[in-house]
Amino acid sequence: MRSFAPAFTLLLCALLGQTQQNSISSPHCRNIPGSPGYPTASVWNELNATVSGRLVPVVPSAKYCDSLPTGACTDAEWTSSEFRGMIPGAMNEVNWEQGYDLNPPSLCLRNGTTCGQGDVPTHSVEAETVADVQAAVKFSAAHNLRLAVKSSGHDFLGRSTAPNSLLIRTANFQNISFTESFFVGSKDMGSAVTVGSGVHANTLYLQSKANSKILVSPAAATVCTAGGYVQGAGHSALSPTFGLAADNVLEFYLVVASGELLQVNSVSHPDLFYALRGGGAGSWGVIVSATFRTFPTFNTSSNVIVLIAQNETVATSLAAVHAQHIFDWDSVHAGQYFVLAKNSTASDSVYILGLNTYLPNISINESMALFSPFMEAAMALPGVFLELQNYTYGDINDALFQTDDSVGSNAVLGSRLLPASTYRDSPREVGEALVKLANSGATEVLGHLVAGGKVAENANISSAVHPAWRTAKTHVVLVNTWDDTATLPEINALRKRFQTTQLPILREIAGPNAGAYSNEADLLEPNFQTTFFGPDYARLSAIKKKYDPQDLFIVGAGVGSERWDEWGLCRI
Ligand SMILES: Cc1cc2nc3c(=O)[nH]c(=O)nc-3n(C[C@H](O)[C@H](O)[C@H](O)COP(=O)(O)OP(=O)(O)OC[C@H]3O[C@@H](n4cnc5c(N)ncnc54)[C@H](O)[C@@H]3O)c2cc1C
Ligand SMILES: *[C@@H]1O[C@H](CO)[C@@H](O)[C@H](O)[C@H]1NC(C)=O
Ligand SMILES: *[C@@H]1O[C@H](CO)[C@@H](O)[C@H](O)[C@H]1NC(C)=O
Ligand SMILES: *[C@@H]1O[C@H](CO)[C@@H](O)[C@H](O)[C@H]1NC(C)=O
Ligand SMILES: *[C@@H]1O[C@H](CO)[C@@H](O)[C@H](O)[C@H]1NC(C)=O
Ligand SMILES: *[C@@H]1O[C@H](CO)[C@@H](O)[C@H](O)[C@H]1NC(C)=O
Ligand SMILES: *[C@@H]1O[C@H](CO)[C@@H](O)[C@H](O)[C@H]1NC(C)=O
Ligand SMILES: *[C@@H]1O[C@H](CO)[C@@H](O)[C@H](O)[C@H]1NC(C)=O
Ligand SMILES: *[C@@H]1O[C@H](CO)[C@@H](O)[C@H](O)[C@H]1NC(C)=O
Ligand SMILES: *[C@@H]1O[C@H](CO)[C@@H](O)[C@H](O)[C@H]1NC(C)=O
Ligand SMILES: *[C@@H]1O[C@H](CO)[C@@H](O)[C@H](O)[C@H]1NC(C)=O
């Protein structure tokens, strides 16, 4: 997927698109506006009629804002994932809408004076029925179009958008249905919920609370549990208790490249069931719904603790103390999100370590007792100050519910799964590495204690979940951001910063062959096949060939993408 010679590739597309359009073998390039095989307006109108008028033109989010009666989006709208979720062309990290690598680059910046279509699709089918999806899939295949699939637009690798593509958006798939006994074949799998692929996590938490249930779902407002989340693996603060989302999904309904709607579970198309659980978002078909195990709800103790370390030396000791104590909460299968950031606005730079921990079924007092060894060790370090500590107690659905996600910036990520053995053997080195990463220009270093416990116990489930999840303790993410004043060379350096600067630091502790979580990772990961998908990429490739022989569902750093250019427009 990596091509740094866009001009040449586009030229090749144009030439080969012309010479091969009538050939029976796979065409070299997708048809784009201007290619001879590209649908005419009347052909698009036929599709529009088939999908009951739900084919819409797509524009970048900045252009959408300009077209509002007020002439602009407010800051609150621009940064709201709930608001952006209503805009077909919007990505939550706006950089993915930009065509930095197109020749010439095609950008549409907020309040800008010019606006190019960039990497935003040309049309979207705002699907409401399975038949809409089937029509769009068949249309893409028949006209050799680049197809993109989106539910929330949260993707951190930009996989839900593509230039010159037809988008299928599943945001309207809002069905939710709870049952006490869900059958796979003749086997009763117990209580479960069937979730449309457009249902936001926050809606699901409200509904699961109303049904006195809980399920493994994201720590987010609008991420779609039955969209990209589960296909990547899907972690949660409840993963140490219940496992990954992919460990708890029982069935999918999915439209595959042929246009067929398939029921996919452990007995029906089990090979595809294997791939859909960890084999990567967007590579298999269009999910209509997925069914997840549910559990009786319970109360959780949650806490937020913010510590300040007054200089780098102190921060390193503090991060090491955290690494030493990270096993303290295993007895109750706690999940924790932590953030380490350098605050460079102060004249002396200080470091902030923030922890947000969920302890299922545990009272506030018990959770304070479980935190006291860590807190005592942390506060014993000269130069560490307690900024905030807040313990709360209540229903787990309420604890995980979020009203909105703050988005609308430019951001790229990079990540690694850190093995539990690293934490056991070398906590000091973990602390040192995290501080080096916080110094590496990253806006923040995010740690996720969402492995161990049930995630490790589930090691023998046969799915495409990367085996590194089963031995990991944490998932560590680097966030690199920029604002719209950055120049293209600066942006391109930032896009590569994880590979050039940060990954070497992570390798010191995670080892040279550590895995990474494909949903929160670097699109430019050179060896994504093993880093994201583990040792059995060949198995995923074979499943891909069987269900998607023409590579209709291609996403960056996804299965089969090595056959395509950066945009999924031409074979390489
Ligand atoms: C604020 C925030 C919080 C997050 N929290 C968590 C978390 O707690 N745990 C976690 O594991 N991850 C988390 N993530 C990462 C999240 O799992 C990924 O961003 C994921 O790709 C989002 O899926 P989506 O469908 O909502 O997004 P989209 O951008 O719409 O799609 C993402 C990918 O899924 C594909 N896709 C979308 N819909 C469908 C469909 N109907 N059928 C087939 N493919 C589809 C797209 O083609 C694309 O490849 C978070 C992300 C954000 C932005
Ligand atoms: C599809 O039809 C609807 C309703 O007739 C119309 O509003 C929309 O603009 C059409 N889409 C395109 C791409 O022409
Ligand atoms: C863009 O315009 C909006 C509305 O006028 C304003 O609130 C916002 O601050 C502007 N943003 C930038 C980046 O200029
Ligand atoms: C949603 O549920 C209704 C009622 O069960 C059903 O008719 C419809 O097909 C479902 N829609 C999708 C997209 O699954
Ligand atoms: C960073 O430091 C400045 C100045 O001390 C302070 O105002 C700001 O709130 C700090 N930022 C964070 C994220 O703590
Ligand atoms: C919470 O406690 C109840 C009552 O003891 C128990 O039935 C349930 O399984 C527990 N749930 C979890 C997630 O520990
Ligand atoms: C929790 O601890 C406080 C202070 O030690 C004590 O007063 C209270 O009774 C305890 N509550 C429970 C439920 O044990
Ligand atoms: C960092 O702070 C600690 C604690 O106050 C202090 O002992 C140490 O000298 C400081 N180190 C540097 C390099 O400033
Ligand atoms: C503690 O957390 C609760 C729940 O999130 C919140 O309502 C409350 O304002 C917080 N208190 C402080 C002091 O931050
Ligand atoms: C859960 O906590 C609430 C208070 O937030 C309390 O009213 C309720 O009884 C608790 N439920 C259980 C099962 O402990
Ligand atoms: C997985 O299966 C192997 C072979 O049966 C067994 O030795 C191992 O203990 C199992 N691992 C887990 C985590 O259950």
Side-chain angles (χ1 to χ4, degrees):
M1 283 291 291
R2 229 82 323 112
S3 165
F4 293 104
F8 173 72
T9 315
L10 282 180
L11 182 66
L12 207 64
C13 273
L15 290 173
L16 292 168
Q18 253 161 13
T19 55
Q20 297 200 351
Q21 63 159 318
N22 293 321
S23 112
I24 308 158
S25 68
S26 306
H28 188 79
C29 289
R30 300 298 183 199
N31 287 321
I32 60 174
S35 320
Y38 193 72
T40 60
S42 73
V43 171
W44 280 111
N45 285 340
E46 284 166 28
L47 173 64
N48 200 6
T50 310
V51 299
S52 314
R54 294 192 274 265
L55 178 73
V56 302
V58 182
V59 296
S61 58
K63 190 165 180 177
Y64 173 92
C65 289
D66 290 344
S67 73
L68 292 176
T70 53
C73 290
T74 63
D75 287 346
E77 288 167 337
W78 183 261
T79 58
S80 160
S81 67
E82 290 282 1
F83 180 80
R84 300 184 77 82
M86 299 183 301
I87 310 171
M91 292 297 288
N92 283 319
E93 272 64 54
V94 192
N95 47 299
W96 300 115
E97 296 181 26
Q98 314 302 342
Y100 300 120
D101 298 336
L102 296 173
N103 186 22
S106 170
L107 311 186
C108 187
L109 304 180
R110 190 180 180 200
N111 305 346
T113 48
T114 59
C115 175
Q117 189 75 6
D119 282 3
V120 173
T122 56
H123 299 75
S124 175
V125 170
E126 299 288 293
E128 288 183 12
T129 66
V130 170
D132 291 344
V133 173
Q134 292 174 314
V137 166
K138 286 180 181 165
F139 187 87
S140 297
H143 297 282
N144 186 28
L145 300 180
R146 173 73 165 98
L147 185 58
V149 183
K150 186 191 284 184
S151 57
S152 74
H154 261 307
D155 200 67
F156 286 122
L157 296 85
R159 295 171 298 181
S160 40
T161 190
N164 292 310
S165 63
L166 168 60
L167 176 65
I168 298 176
R169 219 161 67 104
T170 58
N172 293 318
F173 286 5
Q174 290 293 325
N175 280 356
I176 302 178
S177 134
F178 287 84
T179 175
E180 281 305 318
S181 54
F182 184 79
F183 282 83
V184 172
S186 58
K187 192 166 177 215
D188 186 350
M189 307 299 286
S191 76
V193 60
T194 299
V195 184
S197 55
V199 175
H200 292 165
N202 58 4
T203 306
L204 200 47
Y205 286 126
L206 287 178
Q207 291 302 313
S208 56
K209 188 186 179 194
N211 285 272
S212 304
K213 298 292 186 191
I214 182 67
L215 73 157
V216 177
S217 209
T222 74
V223 166
C224 294
T225 309
Y229 171 77
V230 61
Q231 295 175 80
H235 64 73
S236 154
L238 294 175
S239 291
T241 307
F242 295 133
L244 298 163
D247 299 341
N248 284 287
V249 70
L250 301 172
E251 181 170 278
F252 294 91
Y253 273 92
L254 164 98
V255 174
V256 289
S258 64
E260 266 179 293
L261 174 69
L262 300 184
Q263 179 186 31
V264 178
N265 58 39
S266 59
V267 294
S268 170
H269 304 288
D271 49 358
L272 198 47
F273 190 52
Y274 168 95
L276 280 164
R277 293 174 297 152
S283 300
W284 312 102
V286 182
I287 296 173
V288 173
S289 65
T291 303
F292 297 88
R293 241 180 231 116
T294 57
F295 306 90
T297 192
F298 50 83
N299 281 342
T300 185
S301 150
S302 324
N303 64 56
V304 174
I305 294 170
V306 180
L307 298 161
I308 305 291
Q310 80 177 32
N311 60 39
E312 184 177 335
T313 316
V314 176
T316 304
S317 299
L318 177 60
V321 162
H322 177 257
Q324 264 152 22
H325 285 270
I326 203 157
F327 299 99
D328 287 9
W329 311 295
D330 283 2
S331 58
V332 298
H333 293 112
Q336 181 181 80
Y337 304 101
F338 57 95
V339 54
L340 181 69
K342 184 177 179 174
N343 188 339
S344 47
T345 58
S347 51
D348 292 323
S349 47
V350 301
Y351 294 76
I352 300 165
L353 176 67
L355 313 178
N356 181 10
T357 312
Y358 297 83
L359 302 98
N361 257 348
I362 298 298
S363 71
I364 286 184
N365 281 12
E366 287 170 288
S367 92
M368 282 179 162
L370 284 165
F371 265 80
S372 73
F374 165 71
M375 288 304 284
E376 277 166 25
M379 298 312 294
L381 297 169
V384 169
F385 305 95
L386 179 62
E387 172 121 323
L388 168 77
Q389 118 174 280
N390 185 6
Y391 285 76
T392 51
Y393 182 73
D395 186 90
I396 183 70
N397 285 289
D398 291 336
L400 295 173
F401 176 87
Q402 296 181 31
T403 50
D404 204 349
D405 300 310
S406 177
V407 298
S409 59
N410 302 300
V412 289
L413 309 187
S415 68
R416 280 299 180 271
L417 292 163
L418 293 194
S421 59
T422 303
Y423 276 90
R424 280 192 206 285
D425 301 343
S426 333
R428 177 81 207 171
E429 286 73 12
V430 171
E432 284 166 2
L434 293 181
V435 170
K436 276 191 219 166
L437 291 167
N439 290 342
S440 70
T443 316
E444 50 192 13
V445 183
L446 297 176
H448 303 70
L449 168 51
V450 290
K454 191 72 177 174
V455 176
E457 289 163 29
N458 282 343
N460 286 338
I461 290 180
S462 175
S463 73
V465 168
H466 197 306
W469 269 109
R470 309 305 183 183
T471 51
K473 190 68 192 163
T474 65
H475 154 55
V476 172
V477 179
L478 280 295
V479 185
N480 293 296
T481 60
W482 63 92
D483 63 37
D484 285 347
T485 59
T487 63
L488 205 46
E490 286 166 345
I491 292 168
N492 283 330
L494 275 159
R495 291 164 74 196
K496 290 179 201 149
R497 183 153 74 188
F498 178 71
Q499 295 301 328
T500 57
T501 310
Q502 294 160 341
L503 184 53
I505 301 169
L506 270 172
R507 281 208 181 105
E508 286 172 26
I509 51 169
N513 301 316
Y517 175 38
S518 63
N519 273 346
E520 297 177 312
D522 184 6
L523 174 65
L524 303 181
E525 196 69 57
N527 190 18
F528 73 86
Q529 292 91 337
T530 33
T531 303
F532 292 170
F533 304 116
D536 211 353
Y537 189 75
R539 182 168 177 183
L540 285 172
S541 288
I543 299 168
K544 173 88 180 160
K545 267 223 151 56
K546 177 175 167 189
Y547 289 96
D548 185 15
Q550 301 297 323
D551 282 350
L552 204 54
F553 298 100
I554 286 295
V555 298
V559 174
S561 64
E562 63 276 358
R563 292 188 282 274
W564 293 84
D565 67 15
E566 177 184 350
W567 305 279
L569 285 171
C570 287
R571 290 173 194 272
I572 51 177

